[in-house]
Amino acid sequence: MKRALGVCYYPEHWPEEMWTQDAAHMAEAGISWVRIGEFAWSRLEPSAGVFTFDWLDRAIEVLSNAGLKIILGTPTCTPPRRMLEQFPDMLALDAQGQPRKFGARRHYCFSHAGYRAASGRIAEILGDRYGRDTRIHGWQIDNEYGCHDTVLSYSDAARDAFRDWLAARYVTVEALNAAWGNVFWSMEYGDFDEIDLPNLTVTQPNPSHELAFRRFSSDQVVRYHEVQVAALRVRTDRPLIHNYMGRVLDFDHFEVGAALDIASWDSYPIGFLSDRLEASAAHKIRYLQQGDPDMQGFHHDLYRAVGKEGRWWVMEQQPGPVNWAPFNPAPLPGMVRLWSWEAFAHGAEVVSYFRWRQAPFAQEQMHAGLRRPDDAPAPGLAEVTQVAREIAQMPDIALQQAEVALIFDYPSEWAWTTLPQGQGFSYFALMLDAYRALRAQGLSIDILPSTVRDLSGYRLVLAPGLATLPDGLEAALTGAVTLIGPRANAVTPEISIPLPMGPNLAGLDVTVTQVETLPPQIARTVKGGGALHHWVETLEGTAQTSYETDNGQAVVKHTGNLHYLAGWPDATLWARLVADLAKQAGVNTREMPEGVRLRATQTHVFAFNYNAEAVAFDGVTIPPAGVHWWPV
């Protein structure tokens, strides 16, 4: 696999006389890709129908002459102010009915037909001009769908589109009433036009209504996205890319990715630790300047699954302090290099840094780049240059299928967000705990969608929290040692309790008869070590009990290779489970030092030290924030 470095650049932010020097410095640093244009709509079309491409033409020429490959973005995440004159109702509304007003970005509703058409139009215009330009090597569509909580919109446009979506899904309102259980609380409808959006209700709206709205909202992202894909497909043969954001779960990234060639994501390890991760205060302090040891790896493996044939990039890599998290410390020396190599070890083709030069104005002026606002090199630049030298000296990396798979399912996130049955239950956090437990035993993991139907080659499969077992997946789970639960197959696609009650798996006689959620200070201890917290289920059935609580309540039941987990394990219990399941599956494990993670490829094994101190491992000493690799 070829590896390369990139950077995000905004020529419209800088005097034109700086462009040539910037391009030369990028090339000198070993950077070969540059992303431009994704926020530039107001400069590309300063007034309706009047385009000024001359500056972009010159920027493309300057960058290309320096040997840089260009990714051109469609600027649709930042519609200019004049768009509101044309479409005054294009703004998304939050759950309180307040508009997400102009003055930042992502201020559009995915359901607005006029804005969707305008987005397709600007993609067509850019495609007509640059689609066959050999200097353009790829296209980024929009930017960070869902960032700033912008998937769910409660606008009139969303309400009208939702009604149409419901009519297409259920055909008759009687079928909808039956599917949703609307006889409860006299919620029955006489016509689809009577159905409103599930916000501003006295208490929780019908969960079936809410889950349907979440499914609809995800479909609207896909529909919006595919308009631009269609516009560009006939105008370019270059790969189409979108840059997803970490822990944005409101739409199905697999479905958006189906129309793309390459998946990418924006990696901000320190920002995510502070802003998007459930963890103890001690954990956050320990990794304050490094980021969580598993958050990046999890997303790397996720987006490798989203990308067509496993193709994926990091489109934005944090190179210094960010500006948007509650706290924004600087990375430890070495972390920019570590994050870069960790991405490559997980299969990234390109790691691109955000951004070339720190802007001295507007919302991101405190967001560090590879150069300071005064154009002096920032600390991250030296590490990027080092990575570029190492890439040139190192043979290509060849990936291999892992022995372990983790099933990830966006609809399960929507189901458990809709009906968590208590504070503190997070599908993502449960999944990350499982991933962390596997990595803490030295394992490499493939993350797979719930639509997977061929699991051949995997010895161990984990599918925690899978709300509804999709048709066909059960048959695929029969070969490997498999752990499902808690909350596996616990609801129908309409989020009602299935009868007979779940998990309803052939060959595994287990019934969940009661569910309960626990406050943080309460846990159910398990014989042999560890405990269940957050969520606990009571099980019945003839399947063999392999783990139980101190008072004799079943924690894991199994028949052959199929295991059902009746709660959310703490770290100790997860470690026991992974070790036992791996042994049954014939997968070799090794207990890793705290904060050290491995990633195996066909050609190399990589070790990453997320600690602020050196760690001795496998006969070598890995420095703080250090990377070590050796050939297989």
Side-chain angles (χ1 to χ4, degrees):
M1 181 196 68
K2 297 291 184 183
R3 302 172 304 279
L5 301 181
V7 73
C8 305
Y9 185 55
Y10 302 93
E12 68 272 24
H13 293 178
W14 308 105
E16 192 164 341
E17 54 267 25
M18 297 181 70
W19 296 355
T20 299
Q21 177 178 286
D22 283 343
H25 284 163
M26 292 174 197
E28 289 168 5
I31 290 168
S32 54
W33 289 85
V34 58
R35 183 192 70 177
I36 62 173
E38 78 276 13
F39 300 136
W41 199 338
S42 65
R43 289 297 175 94
L44 292 170
E45 189 183 12
S47 58
V50 176
F51 294 92
T52 53
F53 290 119
D54 55 327
W55 69 269
L56 183 56
D57 292 341
R58 293 192 298 274
I60 289 170
E61 182 176 9
V62 166
L63 296 167
S64 179
N65 286 345
L68 298 166
K69 299 177 182 178
I70 296 168
I71 298 292
L72 184 58
T74 66
T76 49
C77 77
T78 55
R81 176 63 180 82
R82 61 172 173 78
M83 198 68 74
L84 287 179
E85 305 300 324
Q86 185 177 2
F87 305 120
D89 59 345
M90 66 173 278
L91 298 174
L93 271 61
D94 68 16
Q96 302 306 311
Q98 299 300 313
R100 311 298 297 275
K101 297 194 299 183
F102 179 85
R105 64 177 185 177
R106 301 218 58 82
H107 49 279
Y108 67 82
C109 175
F110 285 103
S111 295
H112 193 278
Y115 184 67
R116 183 167 58 240
S119 297
R121 168 183 161 273
I122 191 66
E124 289 175 354
I125 290 168
L126 288 168
D128 285 339
R129 188 173 185 91
Y130 300 109
R132 304 300 176 185
D133 189 327
T134 58
R135 300 171 299 180
I136 307 302
H137 289 259
W139 292 80
Q140 178 183 295
I141 296 177
D142 205 274
N143 185 80
E144 296 180 348
Y145 290 142
C147 192
H148 317 304
D149 298 318
T150 50
V151 168
L152 301 182
S153 170
Y154 299 86
S155 68
D156 288 350
R159 180 201 60 206
D160 295 344
F162 183 47
R163 290 169 176 171
D164 291 341
W165 184 90
L166 293 173
R169 181 178 176 89
Y170 296 100
V171 182
T172 69
V173 75
E174 291 79 13
L176 179 146
N177 284 328
W180 289 9
N182 281 338
V183 66
F184 192 82
W185 285 354
S186 294
M187 294 182 294
E188 290 168 302
Y189 297 104
D191 190 272
F192 287 108
D193 286 342
E194 294 178 1
I195 303 174
D196 210 335
L197 299 178
N199 65 318
L200 300 176
T201 52
V202 173
T203 186
Q204 183 185 16
N206 185 337
S208 299
H209 187 174
E210 187 175 344
L211 182 58
F213 179 63
R214 290 182 181 277
R215 291 183 185 277
F216 154 81
S217 298
S218 178
D219 285 352
Q220 293 301 93
V221 177
V222 176
R223 183 182 180 192
Y224 173 88
H225 171 74
E226 289 179 345
V227 168
Q228 294 191 55
V229 170
L232 289 170
R233 279 292 180 208
V234 296
R235 291 170 171 84
T236 184
D237 58 2
R238 299 296 185 166
L240 305 184
I241 309 171
H242 177 73
N243 58 325
Y244 303 91
M245 194 63 172
R247 199 174 180 170
V248 169
L249 306 166
D250 294 327
F251 68 96
D252 194 319
H253 297 192
F254 292 111
E255 292 191 354
V256 167
L260 295 172
D261 302 295
I262 299 173
S264 72
W265 81 286
D266 296 348
S267 173
Y268 292 95
I270 293 174
F272 292 155
L273 176 72
S274 178
D275 187 54
R276 304 188 182 190
L277 189 69
E278 296 95 342
S280 68
H283 183 88
K284 291 192 174 187
I285 291 171
R286 180 184 181 100
Y287 297 108
L288 180 70
Q289 295 181 270
Q290 306 100 293
D292 180 84
D294 298 299
M295 187 73 163
Q296 288 65 248
F298 182 93
H299 284 88
H300 295 339
D301 292 334
L302 173 62
Y303 291 116
R304 189 175 68 254
V306 172
K308 187 174 292 185
E309 298 181 349
R311 296 191 66 188
W312 75 277
W313 295 15
V314 175
M315 189 63 80
E316 298 181 17
Q317 176 61 64
Q318 176 177 0
V322 300
N323 68 300
W324 44 263
F327 307 100
N328 298 296
L332 281 182
M335 284 310 303
V336 175
R337 173 176 174 262
L338 183 152
W339 295 328
S340 303
W341 274 110
E342 186 172 34
F344 289 133
H346 286 256
E349 297 176 8
V350 173
V351 174
S352 175
Y353 304 92
F354 186 87
R355 49 191 282 165
W356 176 245
R357 184 184 297 106
Q358 182 177 344
F361 45 75
Q363 284 93 328
E364 292 181 345
Q365 61 185 276
M366 298 302 291
H367 194 304
L370 295 181
R371 300 185 79 90
R372 300 186 328 208
D374 63 1
D375 202 37
L381 184 58
E383 294 186 37
V384 170
T385 303
Q386 180 182 356
V387 172
R389 290 196 302 267
E390 291 169 339
I391 287 174
Q393 297 166 1
M394 186 178 180
D396 292 343
I397 297 169
L399 294 186
Q400 63 184 357
Q401 180 176 312
E403 295 182 296
V404 181
L406 184 65
I407 306 295
F408 188 85
D409 180 58
Y410 287 94
S412 293
E413 161 67 22
W414 310 333
W416 301 137
T417 299
T418 298
L419 202 65
Q421 186 64 12
Q423 294 180 5
F425 189 90
S426 160
Y427 174 73
F428 178 87
L430 175 65
M431 290 291 294
L432 186 60
D433 275 3
Y435 183 85
R436 189 188 308 281
L438 293 165
R439 294 243 291 173
Q441 303 263 354
L443 297 172
S444 298
I445 301 109
D446 288 343
I447 293 179
L448 303 175
S450 62
T451 55
V452 66
R453 296 296 177 266
D454 181 5
L455 289 167
S456 56
Y458 292 104
R459 297 187 176 189
L460 175 61
V461 177
L462 272 62
L466 189 60
T468 303
L469 199 66
D471 292 341
L473 180 59
E474 183 177 350
L477 294 173
T478 57
V481 173
T482 300
L483 178 72
I484 66 169
R487 310 193 79 173
N489 223 16
V491 295
T492 69
E494 303 294 344
I495 203 163
S496 60
I497 296 173
L499 297 176
M501 295 168 62
N504 297 319
L505 291 164
L508 183 67
D509 181 19
V510 171
T511 301
V512 178
T513 61
Q514 177 177 273
V515 296
E516 55 183 322
T517 53
L518 305 176
Q521 63 271 27
I522 301 297
R524 301 283 166 78
T525 55
V526 176
K527 292 179 181 177
L532 297 178
H533 59 171
H534 290 314
W535 180 270
V536 178
E537 300 170 345
T538 301
L539 304 183
E540 291 182 356
T542 60
Q544 183 177 346
T545 298
S546 46
Y547 287 75
E548 62 184 12
T549 64
D550 286 342
N551 64 4
Q553 182 176 351
V555 172
V556 178
K557 279 182 167 289
H558 79 276
T559 299
N561 284 344
L562 191 55
H563 302 251
Y564 187 86
L565 171 63
W568 188 332
D570 66 2
T572 300
L573 182 55
W574 266 126
R576 291 180 59 200
L577 283 169
V578 167
D580 288 348
L581 292 169
K583 183 177 181 180
Q584 181 182 349
V587 174
N588 294 324
T589 63
R590 56 188 307 179
E591 188 172 348
M592 300 300 297
E594 172 68 27
V596 177
R597 295 293 184 258
L598 294 181
R599 174 67 189 175
T601 71
Q602 287 186 38
T603 49
H604 299 81
V605 176
F606 292 81
F608 304 97
N609 180 17
Y610 270 81
N611 294 291
E613 61 280 342
V615 173
F617 176 75
D618 246 18
V620 299
T621 297
I622 308 175
V627 182
H628 181 74
W629 59 77
W630 54 95
V632 174

